[in-house]
Amino acid sequence: MKPPRRRYGLLAVVVTLIVLASLQIQFHHLKEDRLTGDRTFATTTTDPVHWRTGAEGLPRGIVHSNSDMYLRPLWDSGANPKNKNDNHNALLAMAVGISQMQNVDIMARKFLNQNYTVMLFHYDGNVDGWHNLEWSDKAIHILARNQTKWWFAKRFLHPDVVAIYGFIFLWDEDLGVDNFDPRRYLDIMVSEGLEITQPALDPDLSTDIHHRITIRNKMTKVHRRIYDNRASGLRAWHLFFLGLLGDNDLIHGWGLDMKLGYCAQGDRAEKVGVIDSEYVVHQGIPSLGGPSLSSKTPRRSLDLRTHIRRQSSAELEKFKERWNRAVREDEEWTDPFDT
């Protein structure tokens, strides 16, 4: 005589409840282990097995310490995007607004023609407006409204990401480059043994020159000394300054230019310089797409620029305080330029 079907049903329910209870108990124990920091669990052997968390949980040979900004196609992934005919490997990064698209177009083409990487930080929220440019799909676009180039740089030019590049250009959007060739510029930088540089500024056409040392000397190819941060060329392995010179809340970059010499290996009088033979024009357009200094400026824009300058000045004082505090607290650090 066959047992009633309901007995089998009742047995199945009991078994299911037992399994669920066991899983619940096991989950509770695992949760307690995580909260108490216990990283071991029992196996059939007598030795405990230690958990490796995060990237440590992967085989070491599969983990890489750096990356790059090369855009990869969905096919033929083995192709090398670097120009085999060029000894340099460079990245151009700029904070841009749609109002300066025409000028940025000229600048970007100079670098893309050498197969260098171009990264645009869009501070005005307009990315779609750039799609009509034939090279737009070759550039990397990052959007964050009303942020400065230093805000972008500190977050998206991390040393682990840009370590693949030999040179980084962190530029403003208002530079005229008719007399600038990036490949010749880098050739000079290497031949002169420079690590931190900027192209000289044309004194006749530039409308906003902050430091006389940046003015072009027509009689020389290079002159050396500390410079401002308007248009920098950097040897990539020194980009640790992006994370160290000022915390992430300091976004205007005032004061950083005076400390870049600390990032050069050796004598900064030899490693830091201005390249005269490849020069640019600084058009003096305020950052974040403000009106030109030579144009009729609305009252509201004047007020906004005043607030920005006040914030920049406040950040400069805060940066100085943090620098001095760090110097006091680091007993092992000595200033190599202290005379």
Side-chain angles (χ1 to χ4, degrees), residues 42-302:
T43 65
T44 54
T45 65
T46 57
D47 297 327
V49 178
H50 293 271
W51 290 352
R52 293 194 299 178
T53 61
E56 295 178 353
L58 301 172
R60 290 184 176 87
I62 204 65
V63 179
H64 296 272
S65 61
N66 51 52
S67 183
D68 60 58
M69 293 292 182
Y70 294 134
L71 299 178
R72 305 285 179 173
L74 298 178
W75 59 93
D76 192 20
S77 60
N80 185 2
K82 186 179 184 298
N83 189 348
K84 296 180 180 179
N85 298 321
D86 195 343
N87 295 325
H88 308 308
N89 190 15
L91 166 68
L92 168 66
M94 292 184 290
V96 301
I98 195 67
S99 63
Q100 297 303 315
M101 183 174 65
Q102 183 176 358
N103 193 64
V104 173
D105 179 28
I106 298 173
M107 298 165 67
R109 289 177 186 273
K110 291 259 184 175
F111 287 81
L112 291 169
N113 287 342
Q114 299 294 338
N115 210 30
Y116 299 151
T117 303
V118 172
M119 178 185 293
L120 301 183
F121 304 133
H122 297 274
Y123 57 73
D124 61 354
N126 191 337
V127 177
D128 293 341
W130 297 78
H131 291 337
N132 292 332
L133 298 176
E134 63 179 3
W135 52 263
S136 180
D137 291 341
K138 299 178 182 178
I140 300 166
H141 300 268
I142 299 176
L143 185 154
R145 290 180 180 274
N146 296 326
Q147 301 303 317
T148 70
K149 70 176 181 181
W150 290 107
W151 184 94
F152 285 106
K154 289 182 180 183
R155 289 156 178 81
F156 299 102
L157 296 184
H158 189 278
D160 290 345
V161 177
V162 299
I164 190 81
Y165 299 101
F167 303 88
I168 306 295
F169 290 83
L170 183 58
W171 277 17
D172 286 344
E173 60 184 336
D174 61 344
L175 300 177
V177 293
D178 291 344
N179 298 290
F180 178 87
D181 181 272
R183 186 171 182 177
R184 289 200 300 264
Y185 183 90
L186 295 180
D187 286 340
I188 295 171
M189 193 172 174
V190 171
S191 65
E192 294 288 332
L194 295 167
E195 294 184 353
I196 303 175
T197 66
Q198 84 156 70
L201 301 181
D202 187 330
D204 298 323
L205 299 178
S206 298
T207 60
D208 193 13
I209 297 179
H210 296 289
H211 303 292
R212 291 183 58 84
I213 192 64
T214 63
I215 296 177
R216 181 190 179 212
N217 186 338
K218 297 180 181 180
M219 305 300 295
T220 63
K221 181 168 64 174
V222 173
H223 66 273
R224 289 172 165 83
R225 204 173 168 184
I226 303 300
Y227 58 95
D228 78 351
N229 64 3
R230 183 61 58 178
S232 308
L234 308 167
R235 296 304 290 264
W237 52 83
H238 298 299
L239 280 184
F240 63 83
F241 81 87
L242 292 175
L244 297 182
L245 296 187
D247 294 333
N248 286 335
D249 61 322
L250 306 182
I251 63 172
H252 288 285
W254 283 24
L256 293 186
D257 54 308
M258 304 308 297
K259 301 299 183 183
L260 291 181
Y262 288 94
C263 300
Q265 291 183 340
D267 186 357
R268 62 178 174 178
E270 296 295 326
K271 299 297 184 179
V272 181
V274 177
I275 297 180
D276 296 294
S277 58
E278 299 297 322
Y279 59 96
V280 299
V281 175
H282 182 207
Q283 300 173 8
I285 300 174
S287 60
L288 300 182
S292 172
L293 294 178
S294 60
S295 65
K296 294 182 179 180
T297 308
R299 177 72 181 180
R300 183 176 180 276
S301 296
L302 280 174

